Amino acid sequence: MSGDGSWRRVSREGRRFLRGRPRPLRRLALWSLLESAHTFLGGYAVARALDDGFLAGRTGTGIGWLAVAAAGALLGALALRGVFGGLADLVEPLRDALVRRAVRRAIGRAVADPGRAGDSGAVSRLTQQTEMARDSFAGLVLISRSFVFTALGALLGLAALDPVLLALVVPALLLGTVAFLATLRPMAHVQRAALDADEALAARTGELAAGLRDVVACGGAASAGDRVELLVAAQERLTGRLARWTALRTLALGVAGRLPVVVLLAATPWLLGRGVSTGAVAGALTYLLQSLLPALDALMTAVGAAGTRLLVVLDRFCDAEPAGTGAGARTRTEAGTARTASVPAQPAQAAHEPEPEHASASAPAPAPAPAVELHRVRFAYGPRAHPVIDGLDLVVGPGEHLAVVGPSGIGKSTLTALIAGLLPPGRGSVRVAGAAARGAPGYGPGGPDVRRTLLPQQAYVFTGTVRENLTHLCPGPVTGGEVRRAAAALGSDALVARLGGLDAPVDPGRLSPGERQHLALTAAYLSPAPLLLLDEATCHLDPRAEERAERALAERPGTLVVVAHRISSAARADRVLVLDGTRAVCGTHAELPARSPLYRDLVGMWNARG
């Protein structure tokens, strides 16, 4: 949105608001006329006190005119009290109107698009932005009204003293005022762009923080950092532009606030020689120094700060688009999703057939390396923290299906992060396909580890076509037949058809968590990575859909490690690893109830619910 467009739109809305409130405006105008009288008497009484009183040798007359000036000050105080009463009648309806607009906007968006996340800017508009608008509007009305009626009284006083004083003072005032007004729209435009850039930066950093683990796993840290650096650089440029416009505005303030006094003082000998009285010159200085220039300085400061801020905030309420879609924030982001931890850049080696966990050394051909091997692994989140995993030994053979179970927070997700190479072990070693899980061959500086794919609980789905979401883990082209067969195997073919086919666009905000998991699981099925890690990646599926997906992934060539949230997942696995906080027990579903009290309890609860 351009600065001119924002200005026109907000001006149109502002005129409509003011036209609907004639009584508060009339009340403000009537009280402000008293303030004009106070200003007029302030300078005129000083001039008369000098010319007709003290300089003429009539001290009593001079004191009397000063008493008139004091009475004018009391009149101004009375006027100011009435002004504040009328101001409340004008400002509070503005706040109420903005609150109603923000509520209607948020409800309308929720009704029109229930699948998308709520309007994240609604709370800010209802609280901070409405209060900012009310305070800025009140300050502007108060100061603008004061300047208009103060200037009216001062200019009438200058004309009453001697019209030539107006000819000297007004051009200097106009020069500074025009220079100041010329900075308003550019400053508002830059402030709007800076606000958009700030919101875009906050949104981007929040998005990265939510998916930091997966960004690192995908080897996308450099790319993600580049985008943040671009936003920071844009914000830096806008800040510099804003500083330059602020300097120009300060110069305009200096011209408007100081030049009239300089001109008047420089012309004083000429004025006195022309017959202008000393009292008239003193009265003109009184008008400038006590009334006109302070009012002008307050107006320019308020318009330059509160005015541009009010313009930006009101434009937010008038804008039909969500907050944060301006300059610097044009890219749509999908809230509430996490990136899949691996995006292979090249095909993996052919998957191995299942082998016994401990192959005989006398075999004619060397046994393939274990898919996963942990030796005396210890990990804690901090040097003084209690270890989440301590002394764990585990070997998962190629083609094996392993389920990991245990209470929430026991370390299941930590284990998958160690295997995926996202976390370094504090002690021991973690190997995948015979090489270190972290920083091993196959993990390039600009690409992912081709040996494994990790699917977290929050499935990653992006704005694009269905086909792109299903094949983004594949390094090369995938035929439509392969994609359709994978969707049929995972049970996501009905979802693909409902979305409109493989080339239909995907809006992540309109998908349920279960639908997003269906797409992510199908993408993992098509991935060439020989090791799949599912960290509760089926938690939003019903038991039947979960069973179908897990069986399809287990039949896929390669190794499957599943963090299970249902015992039914463990029952389908070749082996089950039970984490209970004191020791890890690994075995088959049939033998573990006799070896692990925790597993026996979990199976018992599952059977009871069944």
Side-chain angles (χ1 to χ4, degrees):
M1 173 61 64
S2 67
D4 289 342
S6 299
W7 179 271
R8 287 194 296 269
R9 183 168 53 181
V10 174
S11 298
R12 183 174 61 251
E13 295 279 347
R15 290 192 298 270
R16 184 184 307 163
F17 173 79
L18 294 176
R19 282 197 302 267
R21 286 155 184 83
R23 290 185 62 185
L25 290 175
R26 284 197 299 268
R27 183 179 176 185
L28 279 174
L30 289 174
W31 283 111
S32 298
L33 282 175
L34 290 179
E35 194 168 351
S36 292
H38 153 61
T39 302
F40 178 85
L41 290 174
Y44 190 81
V46 168
R48 296 279 70 82
L50 286 172
D51 290 340
D52 300 339
F54 300 117
L55 294 178
R58 295 189 289 271
T59 305
T61 302
I63 293 176
W65 277 111
L66 292 181
V68 171
L74 293 176
L75 191 66
L78 178 64
L80 193 59
R81 178 182 177 184
V83 162
F84 275 102
L87 186 65
D89 295 337
L90 192 64
V91 170
E92 293 305 320
L94 173 69
R95 180 186 181 277
D96 296 341
L98 293 179
V99 169
R100 286 193 295 271
R101 176 170 291 194
V103 171
R104 284 198 303 267
R105 175 177 172 178
I107 293 176
R109 289 186 175 191
V111 171
D113 198 353
R116 186 171 293 280
D119 186 356
S120 58
V123 174
S124 175
R125 284 190 292 273
L126 284 172
T127 54
Q128 180 184 6
Q129 294 185 33
T130 53
E131 293 303 317
M132 187 185 302
R134 180 177 69 171
D135 294 345
S136 300
F137 180 66
L140 282 174
V141 170
L142 186 65
I143 292 173
S144 301
R145 171 214 56 83
S146 176
F147 170 75
V148 169
F149 288 95
T150 297
L152 177 64
L155 295 176
L156 287 175
L158 288 171
L161 293 176
D162 198 310
V164 73
L165 296 172
L166 284 177
L168 287 174
V169 170
V170 170
L173 283 174
L174 289 178
L175 177 63
T177 303
V178 169
F180 169 76
L181 293 176
T183 66
L184 290 182
R185 290 193 182 185
M187 282 195 70
H189 177 72
V190 175
Q191 284 186 334
R192 171 65 186 260
L195 183 59
D196 289 336
D198 182 69
E199 290 182 356
L201 180 61
R204 179 61 180 165
T205 53
E207 181 184 341
L208 285 177
L212 188 58
R213 183 184 74 171
D214 305 316
V215 169
V216 175
C218 293
S223 175
D226 289 343
R227 291 188 59 188
V228 172
E229 288 179 2
L230 289 175
L231 291 174
V232 172
Q235 194 176 39
E236 183 181 5
R237 288 194 300 271
L238 290 170
T239 302
R241 289 176 57 191
L242 190 61
R244 289 190 290 273
W245 280 110
T246 303
L248 290 176
R249 189 186 72 184
T250 303
L251 178 62
L253 283 173
V255 171
R258 302 293 179 266
L259 188 59
V261 176
V262 172
V263 170
L264 183 62
L265 291 176
T268 296
W270 177 79
L271 290 172
L272 295 176
R274 190 180 177 276
V276 178
S277 67
T278 303
V281 174
L285 282 173
T286 302
Y287 282 130
L288 288 176
L289 297 176
Q290 292 189 0
S291 300
L292 191 57
L293 296 184
L296 180 62
D297 184 73
L299 175 69
M300 289 185 171
T301 302
V303 172
T308 50
R309 184 169 62 245
L310 179 63
L311 174 64
V312 171
V313 172
L314 291 182
D315 190 42
R316 281 285 195 269
F317 282 91
C318 297
D319 200 348
E321 293 298 322
T325 59
R330 300 295 183 189
T331 355
R332 176 175 292 182
T333 58
E334 292 76 40
T337 61
R339 294 186 178 273
T340 306
S342 179
V343 187
Q346 61 185 24
Q349 295 176 352
H352 300 286
E353 293 297 325
E355 291 286 341
E357 182 176 335
H358 299 288
S360 170
S362 60
V372 177
E373 186 175 11
L374 284 76
H375 178 67
R376 308 298 296 168
V377 171
R378 185 182 190 274
F379 180 84
Y381 289 97
R384 299 182 180 275
H386 185 75
V388 180
I389 294 175
D390 195 7
L392 177 61
D393 290 311
L394 176 67
V395 177
V396 182
E400 189 175 3
H401 178 187
L402 176 74
V404 183
V405 300
S408 178
I410 203 66
K412 302 186 297 294
S413 294
T414 301
L415 176 61
T416 59
L418 287 165
I419 297 173
L422 304 179
L423 295 174
R427 189 176 64 200
S429 63
V430 181
R431 303 179 72 81
V432 173
R438 188 176 176 88
Y443 187 89
D449 191 330
V450 299
R451 298 170 297 167
R452 86 288 178 276
T453 289
L454 169 64
L455 266 66
Q457 183 176 350
Q458 298 298 327
Y460 173 56
V461 178
F462 55 89
T463 301
T465 65
V466 175
R467 185 191 306 272
E468 289 168 342
N469 273 276
L470 297 183
T471 60
H472 73 282
L473 296 176
C474 301
V478 183
T479 65
E482 291 178 288
V483 178
R484 283 187 285 270
R485 284 192 294 272
L490 271 292
S492 55
D493 46 352
L495 172 61
V496 172
R498 187 165 65 252
L499 293 175
L502 294 179
D503 296 317
V506 174
D507 183 354
R510 294 182 178 274
L511 299 179
S512 69
E515 290 171 332
R516 289 197 290 268
Q517 285 190 339
H518 259 302
L519 294 179
L521 289 166
T522 306
Y525 182 89
L526 287 167
S527 164
L531 172 62
L532 293 185
L533 302 168
L534 273 58
D535 187 1
E536 298 198 15
T538 60
C539 62
H540 295 298
L541 304 183
D542 61 71
R544 181 173 298 178
E546 178 185 63
E547 178 179 2
R548 181 173 181 176
E550 286 185 358
R551 290 191 183 280
L553 292 172
E555 292 171 1
R556 167 189 177 276
T559 304
L560 178 64
V561 176
V562 178
V563 173
H565 66 288
R566 295 186 181 105
I567 293 297
S568 54
S569 293
R572 289 188 290 269
D574 299 327
R575 287 192 302 157
V576 181
L577 176 67
V578 184
L579 300 178
D580 61 5
T582 57
R583 63 192 186 96
V585 182
C586 192
T588 66
H589 173 68
E591 66 188 25
L592 276 177
R595 296 176 52 195
S596 170
L598 172 61
Y599 194 76
R600 184 167 58 249
D601 293 341
L602 292 174
V603 172
M605 288 186 290
W606 179 51
N607 289 333
R609 285 197 299 268

